[in-house]
Amino acid sequence: MRAVVKKRQGFGIDILEVEKPSIQPDEVLIRVSFAGICGSDLHIYEWSEGYEWLKFPLIPGHEFSGEVVTTGNQVGSVQVGDRVTVSPHVYCGRCYYCRGGKPNLCREGALRIGFIRPGAFADFVAVPESSVFVLPENCPLDVAALTEPFCVALYALETAGSSLGNSVLIVGPGPIGLILVKTLKYMGISSLLIAGLTDDNHRLMLAQSLGADETIRVDKENLLEVVKNVTQGMGVDTVFEVSGSIEGLTQAMESVKKGGKIFMIGLFQNPTKFFFTPLVRREIMLQGVFNYTSETWRKAISLFTTKKIDLSSLITHKIPLGKIEEGFQLLKQKEAVKVLVIP
Ligand SMILES: [Zn+2]
Ligand SMILES: [Zn+2]
């Protein structure tokens, strides 16, 4: 089969003929329909810092949908012909966190598809039955490839729960930030602000069309002034920090009201320094949110299927597997939001 292969550390990838994966008794083989390119795939391609733990050769790709073509003899819940999407995080299922409903914090870590196990930038991918979610017939396969980033956003909202408030700022208009816009608007948030840079223009325009009340280019506009105008000088109730940058965290701290909450989703690539005194004095709560649970996946698929949330406008490009490097370029230049690769 054809696959995108990262053979070693350093820049680039190769498109190679490799052996079709064989499956264990508890696994299924999926013919990939669509595989989304994530920011982390771009990092793996360019070999920016933070991925030294990868093992080579690796087939990346962890946001995908497809059709089941073979099942192992212990598989019971999935059948050949099922249209599916797959959670890339395979947890131990036995540890303190897995049993306590927090598998995203699994003590064993996760056997991540597309990072540790071979991923979906290929004609076929083998995955454990436990990570497969069968799609109802009316759930389109292209949109289903967005389930993973959708779950990241949904889980952050679940974590925020009823403490969300009425005014929310999102820092970082990447796919997760834009999915948050769509979902928060569906939930009926009255004041929704999203901050980015001038070169995020494409994405900020999309944010506006998805229902954001204010889009702020922080390198040109005064974020704090906009926040004050919208919130009668109070600051926003909640911030979602999705940029993974010290600038983003600083903007979050300045924009949130006293006693407000900041949820951090973006991953920082490097250790960093930060002045925490304002957090103490203003009683700001800072919480990390990481990945999702199976429950999140079921909820996401149901929101797609009932058409309550339509994320199809986030799919800006569909490209053949052989042209994946063009996809990386589109993302790097921020021309694209979600690029789907078609094997
Ligand atoms: Zn991802
Ligand atoms: Zn576990």
Side-chain angles (χ1 to χ4, degrees):
M1 67 168 189
R2 265 189 347 150
V4 172
V5 183
K6 182 88 186 174
K7 285 199 283 194
R8 62 187 82 83
Q9 303 208 357
F11 184 90
I13 46 101
D14 290 287
I15 294 161
L16 303 174
E17 272 304 315
V18 301
E19 215 155 302
K20 196 168 158 182
S22 53
I23 53 167
Q24 300 294 316
D26 61 347
E27 291 182 346
V28 307
L29 187 69
I30 294 168
R31 181 186 293 116
V32 179
S33 300
F34 297 96
I37 306 179
C38 174
S40 57
D41 299 317
L42 182 58
H43 288 309
I44 292 172
Y45 170 68
E46 295 190 314
W47 203 247
S48 29
E49 278 172 271
Y51 290 89
E52 296 72 18
W53 46 272
L54 291 182
K55 295 207 172 68
F56 303 103
L58 171 74
I59 301 174
H62 60 277
E63 304 176 358
F64 61 101
S65 62
E67 197 178 304
V68 174
V69 288
T70 319
T71 59
N73 56 24
Q74 287 170 16
V75 171
S77 63
V78 184
Q79 287 171 356
V80 171
D82 279 348
R83 300 153 73 256
V84 298
T85 183
V86 176
S87 170
H89 299 273
V90 184
Y91 303 114
C92 85
R94 295 177 301 273
C95 76
Y96 170 81
Y97 294 105
C98 282
R99 285 175 182 276
K102 280 274 191 188
N104 53 324
L105 304 179
C106 177
R107 288 190 72 174
E108 304 282 310
L111 253 178
R112 301 201 274 156
I113 297 164
F115 296 94
I116 307 286
R117 290 175 59 114
F121 291 148
D123 292 329
F124 298 94
V125 59
V127 304
E129 175 188 16
S130 60
S131 60
V132 174
F133 293 83
V134 177
L135 298 166
E137 236 164 64
N138 57 345
C139 184
L141 281 167
D142 56 352
V143 170
L146 268 61
T147 313
E148 202 270 349
F150 186 25
C151 285
V152 172
L154 269 187
Y155 185 70
L157 294 173
E158 279 170 20
T159 307
S162 55
S163 70
L164 201 58
N166 290 314
S167 54
V168 175
L169 168 68
I170 297 160
V171 180
I176 308 272
L178 294 171
I179 293 171
L180 279 169
V181 170
K182 183 80 186 174
T183 313
L184 281 161
K185 271 293 152 185
Y186 164 73
M187 291 165 65
I189 286 293
S190 52
S191 298
L192 183 53
L193 297 77
I194 181 163
L197 299 167
T198 308
D199 72 351
D200 290 314
N201 199 39
H202 265 85
R203 294 168 171 193
L204 289 169
M205 303 263 281
L206 182 55
Q208 203 163 19
S209 75
L210 293 171
D213 300 294
E214 300 283 347
T215 56
I216 307 115
R217 286 128 183 100
V218 293
D219 48 349
K220 282 241 176 92
E221 294 162 85
N222 188 331
L223 171 64
L224 226 59
E225 224 160 76
V226 179
V227 168
K228 282 188 175 157
N229 278 342
V230 172
T231 61
Q232 287 81 45
M234 284 281 282
V236 295
D237 297 321
T238 303
V239 182
F240 292 95
E241 203 304 302
V242 204
S243 73
S245 70
I246 203 69
E247 294 82 5
L249 182 58
T250 306
Q251 288 153 19
M253 288 279 274
E254 290 171 352
S255 306
V256 75
K257 71 176 185 191
K258 290 181 181 177
K261 295 186 176 175
I262 301 171
F263 294 94
M264 292 181 67
I265 304 172
L267 295 168
F268 284 61
Q269 277 191 271
N270 294 300
T272 184
K273 280 187 182 160
F274 194 77
F275 185 56
F276 278 102
T277 298
L279 174 136
V280 178
R281 290 218 166 110
R282 303 178 65 229
E283 291 198 356
I284 293 165
M285 198 207 73
L286 188 61
Q287 181 172 355
V289 271
F290 185 56
N291 288 342
Y292 31 68
T293 68
S294 300
E295 205 39 58
T296 325
W297 278 72
R298 282 187 275 275
K299 197 193 282 181
I301 290 166
S302 131
L303 285 166
F304 278 152
T305 308
T306 52
K307 309 258 187 279
K308 285 184 174 145
I309 295 196
D310 179 8
L311 298 180
S312 53
S313 62
L314 268 65
I315 303 170
T316 50
H317 299 78
K318 289 178 181 170
I319 55 169
L321 182 86
K323 293 194 168 171
I324 192 167
E325 290 194 75
E326 283 176 26
F328 290 133
Q329 291 312 323
L330 287 165
L331 279 178
K332 192 165 170 56
Q333 291 151 12
K334 298 186 176 177
E335 298 270 322
V337 177
K338 195 44 92 177
V339 179
L340 297 185
V341 169
I342 307 172

